Amino acid sequence: MEDLKPIAFEGIDTSRPLIIAGPCSAETEEQVLCTARELAANGIRIFRAGIWKPRTKPGGFEGVGAPGLEWLRTVKQETGMYTSTEVATRQHVEQALEAGVDMLWIGARTSANPFAMQEIADTLAGAGADIPVLVKNPVNPDLELWIGALQRIYNAGIHRLGAIHRGFSTYGKHLYRNMPQWHIPIELRLRYPSLPIICDPSHIGGKRELIAPLAQQAMDMGFNGLIIESHCNPDQAWSDAAQQLTPEILNFILNTLVVRDSRQSTENLTLLRQQIDQIDNELLEVLAKRMRVSREIGQYKKEHRMPVVQANRYNDVIRTRLKIGTDMEMGSEFLKTVLLAIHEESVRQQIEVLNDRTR
Ligand code: PEP
Ligand code: MN
């Protein structure tokens, strides 16, 4: 992917983050148009709406299908906004191109499937399409699969290509609907510095109140834009109701976002990074010290024939540390992961001591 071109639209300032907004799904002509009018009035220039909806289970709203493409055409005519929708099959691509949609995106369930990606790529190539395409990360945290999906589209002759970070599925209940795992899009950025990355805080957060902090975090990390779900009547939305914002709230959030200038002097950054290097060294020293003490405890347990893991002690340690850490404004999911990892390494070190017959 050596020859990537910027995703630029006439009349949209490319020095600002690319903002795409609109409902999760196109539901009715009235809902599409009322949302589009309000978004346009709030300065949004690129409209999104899902026409075909991939649903985890049967029985959910699967999108209005091709008739919704006409509504997008009306949005464009009436508001002058550019339009975008999700495609997952040959037929979707053909119908969206035919309807004059301005940008396509590929969803997370589709980008996880190389057969579907190749079918989409072949259709784009066959049509000689010259349209920007955004590829969402696959549902599973697999950077190579994401890159593979992007490469298939690039090889189809699409050079106005971008990636959408929408978080990754996990089992169980968490703060986020899809875990951000920021290191994955950051690694993508390091591998392909000229590939624009757009953040989708709606599908990461899954809840309205998480959109603003996630959007800010994405800006702080130098993402190139945001795709945010917005609906004129979010509570009545036929899909993803909990995460959609009214156009007014969206506008408020966008206005409060601090967008840092990536071209400004990097002197301060260098200093801050040196500080981080120093702190990381200290962290490693402290961890190593903790492991040395753990090994001494292991030696004691060995001499007194005690088991390595004592559940009560472990629960106490986690509970008290979690409290201290959350008081220090760190996330509890993060703390649990770190504390568990430290505990596991301590146990491993103690077992090593136990098995060491020379001591
Ligand atoms: C969407 O953008 O509405 C959508 C279905 O997203 P994802 O593919 O990220 O789940
Ligand atoms: Mn959605």
Side-chain angles (χ1 to χ4, degrees), residues 24-25 48 53 177 203 229 239-240 243:
C24 178
S25 307
R48 64 149 282 159
K53 299 303 298 179
R177 177 176 174 192
H203 290 92
E229 288 187 343
S239 59
D240 289 352
Q243 72 195 29

Side-chain angles (χ1 to χ4, degrees), residues 232-353:
C232 57
N233 192 353
D235 288 333
Q236 300 305 316
W238 298 0
S239 59
D240 289 352
Q243 72 195 29
Q244 302 208 54
L245 304 167
T246 62
E248 290 73 24
I249 302 276
L250 172 66
N251 187 40
F252 175 80
I253 290 176
L254 293 176
N255 282 330
T256 51
L257 272 188
V258 181
V259 180
R260 293 170 222 284
D261 184 355
S262 56
R263 292 159 303 182
Q264 79 191 4
S265 139
T266 55
E267 218 170 285
N268 288 347
L269 191 60
T270 308
L271 288 176
L272 288 168
R273 285 190 174 145
Q274 282 169 356
Q275 230 174 310
I276 289 286
D277 292 350
Q278 181 60 35
I279 294 171
D280 283 351
N281 287 343
E282 284 169 25
L283 262 174
L284 292 172
E285 298 263 0
V286 172
L287 278 174
K289 195 158 130 193
R290 191 190 194 280
M291 295 307 157
R292 281 197 294 276
V293 177
S294 274
R295 290 180 80 90
E296 277 180 42
I297 294 177
Q299 187 62 30
Y300 182 93
K301 285 176 180 167
K302 182 181 184 179
E303 284 162 9
H304 294 81
R305 298 184 184 281
M306 288 164 71
V308 167
V309 181
Q310 282 150 327
N312 287 350
R313 165 75 183 145
Y314 169 61
N315 289 339
D316 276 350
V317 167
I318 297 290
R319 193 173 40 76
T320 53
R321 290 357 174 227
L322 212 53
K323 167 88 176 71
I324 297 171
T326 48
D327 284 350
M328 290 170 164
E329 297 185 344
M330 283 181 280
S332 63
E333 285 305 322
F334 161 73
L335 288 167
K336 275 183 214 159
T337 309
V338 170
L339 291 167
L340 191 68
I342 293 175
H343 178 258
E344 276 172 6
E345 174 62 4
S346 295
V347 169
R348 193 189 66 77
Q349 299 243 0
Q350 292 194 8
I351 289 172
E352 246 184 32
V353 173

